[in-house]
Amino acid sequence: MENKEGTMTGKSAALLLTDKIFPLLVAVACAAIFAGTHMYVVHGVGAFNEIFVVQMLDEGLNGGDFAAAAGFATGFLIARVLEGPLVGLLDIGGSLMTGVGIGIPAMMLAAGFTGPINNFPLALLTGGIIGLIIGIVIILVRKLMPEGISASGTGVMMGAGNATGRFLGPLIILSAIQYGIPSGLGAIIGAAIFYKLDRHIAGGAILGAMILAGLVQMFV
């Protein structure tokens, strides 16, 4: 009985590793991620992303300009999809969580297509279709790409995306200052500490603003 169960487990694992199943796995992941963005837009919680990436979506939701979110996140998606077949792995954070979770919804909202974002079942369906397409594209690129080719240009694209993220810190500090003096002061202190520690100042600015503003709220 144990051998039979072990054989079934082995067959299941082998099935999950086939090219035919890969697009389905990506579709399921994208459906969940896209639905998480729906939850964030409608209910304020649920986005599968770093804070500074979600902040870019917030800027669009509050001000109507989705250029930053769409450009940054979609650039990551394209780079990761091209990189995946070449290096043998798909970075879920950059391609799916950032690209599908923020970039594509930002483009839809900018174009006025709010249905897939505001409706939960439609969000699941839309995310699943997007994931299925991404999975098929990755498999096709993998099969059509000559063997031995390096990631080359995709490394430059990812480097540009990572460098862009470092310049979001000052924007977050300005937003915190506009919100209130305690949050602005906390953002400046947090960014300075993270800069000293050689970390992205965007995270420090957000944490500093939250901590100092929260303390002031508690004791004043």
Side-chain angles (χ1 to χ4, degrees):
M1 187 70 177
E2 292 179 0
N3 292 335
K4 186 176 180 181
E5 288 180 356
T7 303
M8 291 298 292
T9 303
K11 289 181 179 179
S12 300
L15 179 63
L16 291 175
L17 293 174
T18 59
D19 291 346
K20 294 179 180 179
I21 298 298
F22 178 75
L24 297 178
L25 296 176
V26 179
V28 172
C30 288
I33 292 169
F34 205 92
T37 304
H38 153 80
M39 294 290 292
Y40 182 79
V41 172
V42 176
H43 303 290
V45 293
F48 294 94
N49 256 293
E50 293 89 346
I51 296 175
F52 78 89
V53 180
V54 178
Q55 176 67 25
M56 288 190 287
L57 181 62
D58 271 335
E59 291 294 328
L61 293 173
N62 296 327
D65 185 4
F66 294 95
F72 176 78
T74 307
F76 254 101
L77 173 62
I78 296 172
R80 298 306 196 195
V81 169
L82 291 176
E83 175 203 27
L86 302 177
V87 300
L89 56 90
L90 176 64
D91 177 23
I92 295 177
S95 62
L96 305 187
M97 292 169 61
T98 300
V100 176
I102 300 296
I104 294 178
M107 288 193 297
M108 288 182 172
L109 291 170
F113 295 108
T114 59
I117 312 297
N118 295 330
N119 184 279
F120 183 73
L122 193 55
L124 283 173
L125 179 61
T126 303
I129 293 174
I130 292 171
L132 190 65
I133 294 172
I134 290 174
I136 292 173
V137 168
I138 289 176
I139 293 299
L140 287 177
V141 172
R142 181 184 173 192
K143 290 184 177 296
L144 297 176
M145 189 66 63
E147 293 185 4
I149 189 169
S150 66
S152 66
T154 59
V156 177
M157 295 171 68
M158 289 182 294
N162 289 329
T164 303
R166 298 190 183 100
F167 292 96
L168 292 174
L171 297 177
I172 295 173
I173 293 173
L174 290 174
S175 297
I177 293 172
Q178 291 176 350
Y179 181 77
I181 294 176
S183 60
L185 184 60
I188 294 172
I189 296 172
I193 294 173
F194 270 51
Y195 178 78
K196 187 67 176 178
L197 297 175
D198 197 24
R199 296 289 187 267
H200 292 310
I201 66 172
I206 293 171
L207 289 175
M210 291 173 61
I211 292 172
L212 189 56
L215 290 174
V216 171
Q217 195 98 20
M218 288 174 58
F219 296 105
V220 175

